[in-house]
Amino acid sequence: MEIPSSLEIGPGLIIPHTNGIILGAARIGSNVTIYQQVTLGAKMADWDYDLTQRPVVEDGATIAAGAKVLGPVLLGSNCVIGANAVVVSNVNPGDVVGGVPARVLSPGK
């Protein structure tokens, strides 16, 4: 598992299986669940760790196994990212997304 020392992580992060996780996000909120083989990071090589090029994960999000969240996207509160989804655009609060590229499967309420 890779976690940059400067990453701001809220309380209550749940990581049931730590294998292969890369947490290259700008920020991770509270009570987030992240499963194995998830990548959060920039779209291109970013050796300076520019936070404007990295995802922000809001409170209560769930990111399923194998998902990739790339670039300066916002994962809204309580959203669900499906297994093996590739997210390259913002996800609204409460939305369930999946696929490559990810699309809304069930809109938030």
Side-chain angles (χ1 to χ4, degrees):
M1 186 160 89
E2 180 181 321
I3 305 172
S5 61
S6 60
L7 177 58
E8 178 186 334
I9 301 173
L13 176 64
I14 299 170
I15 302 176
H17 308 287
T18 59
N19 187 34
I21 295 174
I22 299 173
L23 299 181
R27 182 174 53 82
I28 297 175
S30 302
N31 303 313
V32 170
T33 301
I34 299 174
Y35 287 89
Q36 69 272 14
Q37 300 295 324
V38 166
T39 298
L40 305 175
K43 285 184 182 179
M44 305 289 281
D46 175 23
W47 309 118
D48 294 327
Y49 204 77
D50 180 359
L51 296 181
T52 66
Q53 298 304 312
R54 296 177 174 275
V56 171
V57 181
E58 291 190 334
D59 298 347
T62 299
I63 306 172
K68 309 303 179 225
V69 182
L70 305 173
V73 300
L74 176 66
L75 301 185
S77 61
N78 300 307
C79 71
V80 177
I81 310 302
N84 296 312
V86 177
V87 179
V88 292
S89 59
N90 292 343
V91 177
N92 293 325
D95 280 1
V96 176
V97 301
V100 179
R103 60 183 168 69
V104 176
L105 302 175
S106 176
K109 297 183 175 36

